Structures are given as structure tokens and as C-alpha cells.
């Protein structure tokens, strides 16, 4: 990728982030205004949307830092189960605000994978937040977020899955091409919930092959394939 | 006034409803275009408050459908949207043709400004 391409990519990501941040900031502003009008204030909501907004900004900064770093990313052996467990804990509050059920679906035991813990967690949280927001924007009555992992020929597939039957590999590839050029590049997700996906894609690209569309327990979602740690497997 | 609010975001929808009801309006809040048409059919609104970014449809498509019914052609519509007026294909002229009386850009619209925009329509409707 040339410097100019990198700059454009970064600019598109920043635009998507700005779009997505409008919504949590608007929620916070309105809750304060309602409090001034004498209505009950939902501090939990203010706190959880503010936390997610901060998380998105931090994840964006991390993705920029990693993509501009000169040296290769230091990967370490990680347990996918423990990463997904932590992601579920971090998303719990915001999911509750949107009445979204979070499920951990880890079919079987996995060998450790090679990854960068901070990036993996940040990417998964951003991805999960986008799925939660997109489902509430689409008016899905029983929103559900599944954090799942399964084995594949090339490694361990870990991702976020939800009620997005229309999500296809072609659609996602097209969305990546249109990203930054179209208002709503990914039709399944509103224009205000796609930044988390592109930030996650950027973070995954620094340690694995980037995001891809995946199926898990009859659900569609976006996932990353992580290489197993062969050293530890041999032991 | 009887207001039909079309807002997909659960939190924002609840907030707009609370603010409008505080000022004595009756609010029917729908999260998508199809249920909004059904609601308008069940109870004729005095005013429609519409988000243009809707699941499955876009708000302009909704407006075309809404205006195709003769009995709803004179109902004023306030657009309250996360997208700016400039980014709507056809722009202000098209929205005016579709009976949009006011365009409010959501990120820069306080709840009391929405209440004022609705209040401004009261004399014309009484």
C-alpha cells in the first residue's frame, strides 16, 4: 500500500468514526437536556454510550499507530476463549441498554492462537458494538449478539454473529471498496454503525488476514481467522 | 397535536416522545416506514416527524408513498435527520415538493427546538 493509499484509508476510517460518534454524543446531550426538563436521568445509559464512544476513538488511534509502526507486531500466544469472555464482559452494559442478549458460543476446546491481545480485544469490542447498534437501528425485536469461535482448516475462526441473514461475502467486499465513498457502504449496517467494523478490519489486518464474512451456528457474522500457535501445539 | 414520529433509534425515539408529550402532544412513535403507514391509516396525524435514514426504506421513499394518498397530501412533515439536507439527492427543492415544511439536522437540534418547530405549526393547523 502506498503512503497516499494509507492516507486515504485513514481519512475514510476517520469519516466513518465521526459518523458513528454522532449518535452516542447525541444520546448524551439529549439525556442531559431531558434531565434539565425534570425528566428522570438514565445515568447508566450515558455512562455506557460514553464508554463505547471512548473505546471507538481509542481503537481508531490504536489501528493508526499499528499501521504506521515500522516494526512487525509482536504476537503472543492467546486463548480465544478468554479474549471472547473479556469482550462479552466489556459489551455487557451497552447490550443491556439496547436489550440485546449476548451469548458466548465456543464449540470445543482450542489450542492457543498467535495474536496481539490489545488489538484483538479492541477489534472484537468495536465489532460487537457495531452489531448491537445495527440491530437496534434495524428494529430487530430480539437483538442477539453471539461471540463465537470454531475451528477451520486454516486456524481458529473468532467473530461476532447476529441476525444479519443478508450479510454476504460479496456485500462485504463491495462495502470495503465503497467505504468512504458511499454514505452507507454496508446496507446491513446503518451509516452510523459501520465505523466499528472498518476499525476492526484495520486492526485485524495488522495481525491476521483481516475480517471476512462467516457463518456460525446458523448465524451470519464477521470474523477473523487466527493461526494456531504451532510451538505450543507440539508441546 | 397528534404527532406521528418515525425514528428507528430506540433511545432517540423515546427522548423525542418524552419531550413532545411534556408539551401536551400525543405521540405515535414508529421505528420503520411500513408501520408508520399503518399507524397513519389507523389514526390521521396532524404532523409527521421523520428520520430519512430508515431500515429497509429511506425516508424520501416513504414521503413519495405517503404523499400518494390524497388524504395525507396536506399533512405537514418535519424532517429530523442524522443526514444533512445537502446530502439528500434532490436537496431542499425535492423535499419542499414532498411537503417538508422544516428540515432539522438531528446532531444540531435540541429537544426544545423540535418542540418549537412543532409549536410553530399549531396556528396553521387550528
Amino acid at each position: 500500500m502506498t503512503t497516499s493509499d494509507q492516507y486515504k484509508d485513514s481519512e475514510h476510517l476517520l469519516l466513518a468514526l465521526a459518523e458513528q460518534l454522532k449518535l452516542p454524543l447525541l444520546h448524551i446531550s439529549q439525556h442531559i437536556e431531558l434531565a434539565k426538563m425534570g425528566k428522570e436521568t438514565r445515568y447508566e445509559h450515558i455512562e455506557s454510550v460514553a464508554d463505547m464512544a471512548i473505546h471507538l476513538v481509542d481503537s481508531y488511534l490504536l489501528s493508526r499507530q499499528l499501521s504506521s509502526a515500522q516494526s512487525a507486531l509482536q504476537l503472543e500466544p492467546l486463548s480465544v476463549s478468554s479474549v471472547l469472555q473479556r469482550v462479552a464482559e466489556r459489551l455487557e452494559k451497552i447490550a443491556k441498554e439496547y436489550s440485546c442478549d449476548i451469548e458466548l458460543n465456543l464449540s470445543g476446546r482450542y489450542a492457543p492462537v498467535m495474536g496481539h491481545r490489545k488489538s484483538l480485544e479492541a477489534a472484537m469490542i468495536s465489532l460487537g458494538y457495531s452489531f448491537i447498534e445495527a440491530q437496534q437501528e434495524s428494529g430487530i425485536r430480539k437483538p442477539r449478539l453471539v461471540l463465537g469461535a470454531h475451528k477451520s482448516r486454516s486456524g481458529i475462526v473468532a467473530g461476532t454473529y447476529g441476525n444479519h441473514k443478508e450479510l454476504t461475502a460479496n456485500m462485504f467486499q463491495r462495502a470495503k471498496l465503497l467505504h468512504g465513498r458511499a454514505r452507507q457502504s454496508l446496507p446491513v449496517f446503518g451509516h452510523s454503525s459501520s465505523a466499528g467494523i472498518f476499525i476492526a478490519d484495520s486492526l485485524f489486518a495488522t495481525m491476521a488476514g483481516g475480517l471476512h464474512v462467516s457463518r456460525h451456528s446458523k448465524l451470519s457474522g464477521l470474523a477473523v481467522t487466527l493461526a494456531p500457535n504451532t510451538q505450543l501445539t507440539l508441546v | 397535536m397528534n404527532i406521528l414520529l418515525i425514528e428507528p433509534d430506540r433511545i432517540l425515539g423515546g427522548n423525542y416522545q418524552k419531550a413532545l408529550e411534556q408539551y401536551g402532544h400525543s405521540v405515535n412513535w414508529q421505528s420503520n416506514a411500513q408501520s408508520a403507514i399503518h399507524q397513519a391509516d389507523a389514526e390521521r396525524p396532524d404532523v409527521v416527524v421523520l428520520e430519512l435514514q430508515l431500515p429497509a426504506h429511506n425516508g424520501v421513499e416513504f414521503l413519495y408513498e405517503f404523499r400518494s394518498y390524497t388524504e395525507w397530501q396536506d399533512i405537514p412533515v418535519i424532517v429530523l435527520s442524522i443526514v444533512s439536507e445537502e446530502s439528500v439527492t434532490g436537496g431542499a427543492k425535492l423535499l419542499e415538493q414532498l411537503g417538508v415544511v422544516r428540515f432539522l439536522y438531528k446532531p444540531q437540534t435540541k429537544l426544545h427546538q423540535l418542540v418549537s418547530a412543532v409549536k410553530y405549526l399549531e396556528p396553521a393547523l387550528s
Side-chain angles (χ1 to χ4, degrees):
Chain A
M1 193 186 268
T2 65
T3 311
S4 153
D5 288 339
Q6 277 177 337
Y7 174 73
K8 275 183 193 162
D9 191 40
S10 162
E11 191 184 31
H12 293 158
L13 211 50
L14 190 57
L15 281 171
L17 177 66
E19 283 286 350
Q20 184 155 355
L21 286 179
K22 278 198 261 182
L23 207 56
L25 292 174
L26 193 55
H27 283 189
I28 294 166
S29 166
Q30 286 193 354
H31 275 80
I32 292 167
E33 200 185 348
L34 280 170
K36 285 182 185 168
M37 288 163 77
K39 298 281 181 189
E40 190 189 347
T41 313
R42 296 186 54 218
Y43 291 109
E44 297 81 9
H45 184 77
I46 294 175
E47 187 186 14
S48 54
V49 293
D51 285 350
M52 278 299 125
I54 293 167
H55 172 82
L56 277 181
V57 173
D58 267 346
S59 300
Y60 168 76
L61 291 173
L62 180 63
S63 78
R64 291 301 91 201
Q65 281 162 7
L66 295 178
S67 65
S68 60
Q70 298 298 314
S71 54
L73 197 61
Q74 289 294 312
L75 303 183
E76 55 181 324
L78 298 172
S79 151
V80 171
S81 312
S82 77
V83 168
L84 291 183
Q85 181 78 48
R86 240 182 93 74
V87 171
E89 284 166 15
R90 285 288 308 276
L91 289 170
E92 202 179 341
K93 274 190 192 169
I94 194 75
K96 197 177 163 193
E97 287 301 312
Y98 291 131
S99 310
C100 177
D101 289 331
I102 297 189
E103 291 168 37
L104 265 178
N105 188 321
L106 308 162
S107 36
R109 287 184 153 210
Y110 311 110
V113 293
M114 291 307 285
H116 185 253
R117 178 178 291 277
K118 197 175 171 187
S119 311
L120 187 58
E121 282 184 6
M124 283 290 179
I125 294 167
S126 303
L127 204 53
Y129 178 43
S130 283
F131 270 65
I132 292 169
E133 267 207 346
Q135 289 186 76
Q136 79 101 12
E137 279 178 5
S138 313
I140 291 170
R141 287 202 176 169
K142 284 187 179 173
R144 178 182 176 209
L145 176 72
V146 175
L147 299 169
H150 58 260
K151 287 176 190 165
S152 80
R153 268 188 232 163
S154 35
I156 309 292
V157 180
T160 59
Y161 302 86
N163 297 311
H164 297 290
K165 287 173 194 151
E166 315 87 350
L167 187 58
T168 63
N170 273 346
M171 181 196 283
F172 187 57
Q173 283 312 315
R174 205 165 49 238
K176 284 171 82 165
L177 292 172
L178 287 172
H179 176 220
R181 294 168 187 86
R183 162 162 290 279
Q184 197 170 348
S185 56
L186 198 53
V188 183
F189 295 83
H191 77 289
S192 55
S193 59
S194 60
I197 291 167
F198 293 114
I199 288 172
D201 186 43
S202 170
L203 283 167
F204 285 138
T206 60
M207 70 179 138
L211 268 180
H212 58 84
V213 172
S214 161
R215 298 273 297 163
H216 181 90
S217 299
K218 295 181 182 170
L219 292 170
S220 295
L222 293 168
V224 64
T225 303
L226 299 156
N229 180 336
T230 45
Q231 271 183 321
L232 287 178
T233 308
L234 284 173
V235 172
Chain B
M1 278 200 285
N2 181 18
I3 299 167
L4 174 59
L5 168 67
I6 309 165
E7 169 56 61
D9 187 284
R10 279 180 44 188
I11 307 295
L12 298 183
N15 291 347
Y16 293 132
Q17 184 169 26
K18 277 183 202 164
L20 290 164
E21 284 178 350
Q22 171 124 340
Y23 288 86
H25 300 295
S26 160
V27 179
N28 281 305
W29 165 30
Q30 301 298 322
S31 61
N32 65 69
Q34 204 51 50
S35 63
I37 293 285
H38 288 309
Q39 177 57 41
D41 206 19
E43 191 178 0
R44 188 185 194 275
D46 298 314
V47 180
V48 174
V49 176
L50 169 72
E51 165 59 274
L52 294 178
Q53 195 90 45
L54 295 172
H57 282 73
N58 74 48
V60 174
E61 286 169 353
F62 166 82
L63 279 171
Y64 275 115
E65 187 180 349
F66 191 72
R67 293 305 189 206
S68 70
Y69 299 94
T70 49
E71 65 271 34
W72 296 340
Q73 282 173 357
D74 59 345
I75 297 174
V77 173
I78 295 173
V79 167
L80 174 63
S81 185
I82 198 95
V83 301
S84 63
E85 193 170 13
E86 300 78 51
S87 57
V88 177
T89 313
K93 198 174 174 189
L94 173 72
L95 294 172
E96 196 185 330
Q97 284 166 358
L98 288 167
V100 173
V101 294
R102 187 83 189 268
F103 193 104
L104 300 171
Y105 178 51
K106 211 185 256 179
Q108 286 169 18
T109 303
K110 293 283 183 188
L111 295 169
H112 72 83
Q113 289 172 312
L114 170 65
V115 173
S116 299
V118 169
K119 195 177 177 203
Y120 185 75
L121 295 172
E122 275 176 338
L125 294 168
S126 58

